[in-house]
Amino acid sequence: MKAIATDLPEVMILEPKVFGDSRGFFMESFNRRAFEAATGCERDFVQDNHSRSRRGVLRGLHYQLEQPQGKLVRVTHGRVYDVAVDLRRSSPNFGRWVGVELSADNHRQLWVPEGFGHGFVVLSESADFLYKTTDYYHPASERCIRYDDPELGIDWPVVPDLTLSDKDLAGAAFGEAEVFA
Ligand SMILES: Cc1cn([C@H]2C[C@H](O)[C@@H](COP(=O)(O)OP(=O)(O)O[C@H]3O[C@H](C)C(=O)[C@H](O)[C@H]3O)O2)c(=O)[nH]c1=O
């Protein structure tokens, strides 16, 4: 597994080794030892999630204030533009974001540690989004920041029929959101 740095040092792109042959391919989509060697992070992942969305769906920006979740995300069908935002007031990168295209074809994964907001928009006809989390779902402390917050200035790709949940449409402004110390 290769780790590729992003502009946010804690957020890393991971590229697993893919073994292709005439039948198709094989890869270890997760290997704890390889993850720890690539990221320097020791984590127990406790939940696997899978969402499917059609083109133009944007999910996010989400985070949990209590039981903050580290997320190891990947796409097994289609293409998404995936975004992480540093929500830690103490960080020199507070309010900065990174975006990366994750796809079934590039096999790329993104490690989004605790303390970051996360979201993605679907670029293909549909996308299957799978991810491991380091803590359990805690809806009581789940928060959402508007994907288009002007202060964050996330440069989302333009997609037809942008579609968000009511919860995400009602997301907080970054400047008013409860974030991390
Ligand atoms: C996240 C989650 C949701 N749910 C239930 C709650 C709702 O009845 C239903 C859909 O939930 P929601 O609309 O919050 O799903 P997403 O919009 O995909 O939320 C996720 O989207 C962004 C990209 C994230 O990074 C988070 O992991 C997560 O917040 O699944 C569960 O039962 N367990 C869970 O862990």
Side-chain angles (χ1 to χ4, degrees):
M1 178 169 277
K2 184 171 85 173
I4 299 169
T6 70
D7 288 345
L8 297 178
E10 301 87 348
V11 179
M12 287 175 248
I13 298 166
L14 301 177
E15 289 188 339
K17 186 164 177 54
V18 181
F19 299 91
D21 63 26
S22 59
R23 301 168 297 171
F25 75 84
F26 174 91
M27 68 178 185
E28 293 181 356
S29 53
F30 177 73
N31 175 308
R32 179 171 176 157
R33 196 166 40 215
F35 172 81
E36 291 177 358
T39 63
C41 297
E42 293 186 10
R43 294 292 192 284
D44 289 322
F45 291 96
V46 297
Q47 193 173 308
D48 277 357
N49 297 331
H50 180 171
S51 67
R52 175 172 295 167
S53 311
R54 55 178 169 71
R55 189 190 307 272
V57 166
L58 191 153
R59 296 177 185 251
L61 299 162
H62 300 161
Y63 57 104
Q64 293 184 170
L65 272 179
E66 296 159 40
Q67 297 176 220
Q69 294 174 309
K71 298 166 187 170
L72 179 57
V73 306
R74 69 190 180 108
V75 170
T76 57
H77 172 79
R79 292 189 305 134
V80 310
Y81 185 74
D82 199 72
V83 171
V85 186
D86 194 338
L87 297 178
R88 303 165 301 170
R89 290 191 186 285
S90 59
S91 166
N93 294 313
F94 179 55
R96 291 188 62 198
W97 61 275
V98 290
V100 60
E101 184 170 313
L102 305 177
S103 72
D105 290 344
N106 70 22
H107 303 292
R108 282 184 154 190
Q109 305 180 8
L110 193 66
W111 165 235
V112 182
E114 302 83 352
F116 288 75
H118 175 250
F120 66 88
V121 67
V122 177
L123 305 174
S124 50
E125 191 57 37
S126 75
D128 282 69
F129 193 84
L130 279 66
Y131 53 114
K132 308 176 83 66
T133 64
T134 61
D135 210 330
Y136 294 103
Y137 179 49
H138 188 246
S141 73
E142 190 180 42
R143 297 294 184 273
C144 175
I145 290 174
R146 283 277 306 193
Y147 74 101
D148 58 353
D149 183 274
E151 202 177 338
L152 293 178
I154 296 171
D155 189 16
W156 297 97
V158 175
V159 294
D161 304 326
L162 187 66
T163 307
L164 289 88
S165 66
D166 291 342
K167 176 183 74 174
D168 291 353
L169 285 170
F174 170 65
E176 295 160 15
E178 292 177 274
V179 290
F180 301 93

